[in-house]
Amino acid sequence: MSCWAVIPIKAPTEGKTRLAETLDTDARAILVRAMLRHVVQAAEDAAGITRIHLVGPSRHGLPDTLPLLADPGQGLNAALTSALNEVTEMGASRALFVAADLPTVSAAELDVLALAPEQSIAIAPDRHGTGTNALSLPLPAARDFSFHFGPDSLARHCKEAERLGLGIEMVHSLGLARDIDEPADLPDAAGLLE
């Protein structure tokens, strides 16, 4: 089995704009890079992940050896659909889509997603229980999965799994739940800003 991690990332100047009242542009860019490096390191340390790809306009200073998939420029859901098509064509048997803003996620938490049951979609909800911070899709069974990131994405992704006739594994863990969107979330990223 080959599980490929796909980490979407925005352009350096576009990330974490909801933190503008607390962090200036430079501080937000530093935070985005630090969180991305942390998530990539966790994916590299995960035994169940065989390859890692970024999808977006920039590697944020990470090495050129980390593949960067093209972003068609039509929003997150379109970028992930394009990435899903690419990794499916390249031979992945599972694709793990994980947010780049998870400052405490661990390799062990990513392994739970990477090693999900063969005909199941594994979903990691956000701290509010309404959003999705990671999705693990079996391939080729979920090749036609439609991404629904945005409001109420968790419920919408569960409906999509049902539409495809696939099982659903909910993965609840602190590292996967704690994304950084609002100023109140920043204490979870304190270790990366020291």
Side-chain angles (χ1 to χ4, degrees):
M1 180 174 148
S2 63
C3 178
W4 295 17
V6 176
I7 305 168
I9 191 74
K10 292 181 179 180
T13 58
E14 295 176 9
K16 299 300 160 196
T17 55
R18 286 185 276 176
L19 300 175
E21 66 185 55
T22 306
L23 300 175
D24 65 23
T25 303
D26 291 340
R28 290 195 314 273
I30 290 167
L31 175 64
V32 166
R33 278 194 303 273
M35 290 190 296
L36 175 60
R37 279 194 305 270
H38 176 80
V39 173
V40 168
Q41 186 63 59
E44 288 175 345
D45 294 343
I49 295 175
T50 53
R51 291 181 73 174
I52 303 165
H53 292 268
L54 300 179
V55 60
S58 170
R59 286 186 179 83
H60 289 265
L62 290 170
D64 290 346
T65 54
L66 188 63
L68 181 65
L69 301 174
D71 180 347
Q74 300 167 338
L76 176 60
N77 293 317
L80 296 180
T81 298
S82 176
L84 176 60
N85 290 335
E86 284 193 58
V87 300
T88 302
E89 290 299 319
M90 289 188 277
S93 58
R94 181 167 285 275
L96 169 54
F97 296 87
V98 59
D101 64 346
L102 302 174
T104 64
V105 72
S106 70
E109 289 169 316
L110 294 180
D111 270 333
V112 172
L113 292 161
L115 303 171
E118 191 172 312
Q119 290 299 308
S120 292
I121 291 175
I123 304 174
D126 67 3
R127 69 179 81 214
H128 307 290
T130 58
T132 307
N133 282 344
L135 275 171
S136 180
L137 306 178
L139 298 174
R143 178 185 189 118
D144 296 324
F145 187 88
S146 289
F147 295 95
H148 294 285
F149 283 97
D152 298 318
S153 66
L154 180 62
R156 297 169 77 189
H157 287 142
C158 288
K159 286 181 183 174
E160 185 63 13
E162 292 168 5
R163 181 186 73 81
L164 294 173
L166 296 168
I168 300 169
E169 297 285 322
M170 284 294 174
V171 179
H172 297 278
S173 72
L174 291 178
L176 288 165
R178 292 180 175 169
D179 56 339
I180 305 299
D181 287 327
E182 306 290 340
D185 303 333
L186 283 171
D188 292 329
L192 298 179
L193 297 174
E194 297 171 353

